[in-house]
Amino acid sequence: MKKSIVALTMSLVASLLLPLSVVLGQQKQTPVIQPKVGVSPLSVFVSGSYFGPKYTNVNAVYQVIEHNLSLPAGNDFKSYYFVLTGVRFTLGNGQAVQGEFGGSVMKSTKDSSTNFLQLYYAGGSYIISFPLPMVSIYGGGGLGYLWLNSQRTYGTRLGVATVNGQLVQLHGILGIEFFDPSGVSFALEGRYTNATTVSPTRADLDFTLKGIDVGIRIGVPITF
């Protein structure tokens, strides 16, 4: 009697465990699909750089003006900083495109002359990134357009000299970027720029601006 009860109990337990084992087996075989948390392909950035284009050709134009008008020699124009902001769109596979806007405004007084310069820029770049374990190295290039307005006033004699121009720019970019877990990025970036005037009104206003600038770039992803 006891044997029959034990056998009946075992058969009942087996009948209960068999469907449960089948269900558990199916759950193990079917992977749990987690929602994919992606990084926003759109980000905004701002950067500040030091140095910038050389104004050798612009200074040469001022020297000619001063010689022709018997004006006292002024101080050379120099570029010390450039601020750039824009929007970057990541295409995937380490590729990205970005729109850029920036400029610099400088005023310097020394001896008998005062220099005032405005430089504005709009353009775009194509970027290729090469990710490494801790950082990402990127490079690229693009096109831009520059608006240059400059003037020099003289304290010892009434007179204002101006040199203005619009220039087409080619640039190359090389940088190293660090990413924070929040998605914010910090980069050390260098640029080489070469710009030349478009349709100058006079032969002496046909000049170029070129040089290297190095700065820090901060990027912030845009989430919707």
Side-chain angles (χ1 to χ4, degrees), residues 136-218:
S136 177
I137 297 176
Y138 63 91
L143 291 168
Y145 202 85
L146 290 169
W147 292 264
L148 171 69
N149 301 312
S150 68
Q151 68 178 34
R152 179 177 293 166
T153 58
Y154 303 87
T156 58
R157 180 176 175 181
L158 293 178
V160 178
T162 62
V163 174
N164 302 324
Q166 298 182 24
L167 305 93
V168 173
Q169 182 205 78
L170 293 172
H171 58 265
I173 304 172
L174 185 63
I176 180 169
E177 192 167 20
F178 305 83
F179 291 92
D180 185 80
S182 63
V184 177
S185 64
F186 303 88
L188 179 64
E189 182 176 287
R191 286 187 175 221
Y192 173 77
T193 61
N194 190 322
T196 184
T197 50
V198 179
S199 302
T201 56
R202 302 196 312 262
D204 60 340
L205 296 181
D206 187 9
F207 54 85
T208 62
L209 298 177
K210 56 184 177 180
I212 297 175
D213 59 77
V214 179
I216 297 175
R217 175 183 173 278
I218 302 174

Side-chain angles (χ1 to χ4, degrees), residues 16-60:
L16 292 173
L17 292 178
L18 182 60
L20 182 60
S21 64
V22 172
V23 172
L24 291 175
Q26 291 178 347
Q27 289 181 348
K28 289 180 180 180
Q29 293 174 2
T30 305
V32 179
I33 301 176
Q34 298 288 346
K36 197 172 185 180
V37 181
V39 178
S40 173
L42 197 63
S43 63
V44 295
F45 65 88
V46 61
S47 67
S49 58
Y50 188 64
F51 298 120
K54 304 295 183 183
Y55 292 95
T56 304
N57 294 152
V58 176
N59 292 323

Side-chain angles (χ1 to χ4, degrees), residues 59-72:
N59 292 323
V61 177
Y62 275 99
Q63 291 171 7
V64 172
I65 295 174
E66 292 164 351
H67 179 268
N68 293 337
L69 299 179
S70 299
L71 292 169

